[in-house]
Amino acid sequence: MSESSVEAVNAAVTTAAASVAEASNGWRRATGVAGVAIGVLATGAAAGVAIERMTVGRGMRKKARLALDSTGPYGSLRGTPGKAYAEDGTELYYEVDDPDPDPDAAPARRRRLFGRKAPAPVTVVFSHGYCLSQDSWHFQRAALRGVVRAVYWDQRSHGRSGRGAAQVERGEPVTIDQLGQDLKAVIDAAAPEGPIVLVGHSMGGMTVMALADRYPGLIRERVVGVALIGTSPGRLGEVNFGLPVAGVNAVRRVLPGVLKAMGQRAELVEKGRRATADLFTGIIKRYSFAARDVDPAVARFAERMIESTPIDVVAEYYPAFSEHDKTEALAHLTALPVLVLAGVKDLITPSEHSEAIAGLLPDAELVLVPDAGHLVILEHPEVVTDRLADLLARTGAVPAPTTVGGCDPASS
């Protein structure tokens, strides 16, 4: 390494430390204790942000974000809207994409996905992850649009769904079991009859497991296939998020209290969140993607979804993950075609958790995607869509597919 390179790295590290301290101080003023956890979590991303700050001004970065917001059609696909109501009265928003009534309307995509024959009337229900929305399935939606009947919904307090009534009105904690009940309400409203394929990413996969745990009869009678993507059956409290031992121990020790404090002072925290947008950009990218060449517009799309999740919602969901354990529920899926897919470099739900799921479902197809992080559905959409098409074929609902050559993001 040259002397100039050493100086640049030293300067970046110094600036990174100052950035973390600056952000931590701002958060401390906002919440009293939030700065501690943000400082720990930001360390891995701050060096990259600091290097960027050496060459790119804040105004230019803001303009770049605005430009990316208007680039590409990500999240623009819409279907027929509908509403379901959870047991506690929470309004759950969903959209339905119906197959094209003209079997020759989308011949290229149909041939690419399923051959020349039209798919059978199966409904594919997509459940998204934590701090995301139904829009996170953009690429899969573009590829399947008009070809199969699909339902996309927003989990409670996410996207266009209402705030959790039990949380707002009675202060009850969110549980994964509750999300499974929410999914049942959506199925009852949007797909009350016929065969179903359940697809879940991250928290959405946990939601599918909770549905299986609570409603095994539904699984036996109507579900013909399941896809569990970047998810976990439990033991999430042991995940180290790619941090050193000291760092992860500090996060585990202070984060629950920090998030509680942040949720109680949401308005002030949101101001601090906006003030440290550059730092959060680095954190989001580190924990969402693994590939260095991810499309900046896709990265910004993911960032927007995460940014749009209110901090009090982030806080109220967090404890549910440490309590999540649906290992035994997987037994209800053993007779079904199951796809288990994960990014090898996922720092949120490590691929070992997907391997554990596949170990309990010996007939499942396990796909580990190299150079992929937690948002593998956005980072390597062609792999995910190809395997989903194959799963639909394995259900017997559609003819055997050919390999998907790509996903046109502008497809509608």
Side-chain angles (χ1 to χ4, degrees), residues 316-331:
E316 72 187 19
Y317 264 83
Y318 181 78
F321 300 115
S322 60
E323 298 171 5
H324 165 64
D325 184 355
K326 287 291 177 282
T327 304
E328 294 183 2
L330 293 171

Side-chain angles (χ1 to χ4, degrees), residues 10-182:
N10 286 339
V13 171
T14 300
T15 309
S19 299
V20 172
E22 177 186 353
S24 297
N25 288 336
W27 285 92
R28 226 180 249 114
R29 286 193 296 271
T31 66
V33 291
V36 177
I38 295 301
V40 173
L41 289 173
T43 301
V49 175
I51 292 172
E52 181 188 13
R53 284 181 172 177
M54 293 169 66
T55 56
V56 183
R58 176 176 293 181
M60 188 176 294
R61 291 195 303 275
K62 183 177 181 180
K63 288 180 181 179
R65 283 197 293 271
L66 291 174
L68 289 173
D69 285 347
S70 62
T71 299
Y74 308 123
S76 63
L77 299 178
R78 301 267 65 89
T80 303
K83 295 177 182 178
Y85 292 89
E87 290 186 357
D88 65 350
T90 300
E91 185 177 278
L92 303 169
Y93 177 84
Y94 66 83
E95 293 180 358
V96 178
D97 285 356
D98 284 308
D100 198 304
D102 180 356
D104 297 320
R109 267 183 297 153
R110 183 169 284 118
R111 283 197 299 272
R112 187 172 69 239
L113 289 165
F114 305 117
R116 293 184 176 274
K117 296 181 181 179
V122 60
T123 298
V124 188
V125 182
F126 289 82
S127 300
H128 68 79
Y130 181 44
C131 297
L132 300 173
S133 72
Q134 63 173 269
D135 292 345
S136 62
W137 298 106
H138 178 86
F139 289 103
Q140 292 71 43
R141 190 170 190 169
L144 295 172
R145 196 169 176 83
V147 178
V148 296
R149 186 173 193 270
V151 174
Y152 304 87
W153 69 291
D154 292 326
Q155 304 247 26
R156 63 172 54 220
S157 302
H158 289 71
R160 295 171 175 82
S161 284
R163 288 284 278 113
Q167 287 70 54
V168 173
E169 297 170 7
R170 300 190 293 276
E172 295 179 6
V174 177
T175 66
I176 301 300
D177 286 333
Q178 189 175 48
L179 303 185
Q181 295 170 34
D182 290 353

Side-chain angles (χ1 to χ4, degrees), residues 332-359:
H332 298 301
L333 308 180
T334 52
L336 297 172
V338 177
L339 166 67
V340 182
L341 185 147
V344 171
K345 297 181 181 179
D346 190 335
L347 298 175
I348 305 297
T349 50
S351 58
E352 290 81 3
H353 290 229
S354 289
E355 292 180 89
I357 293 172

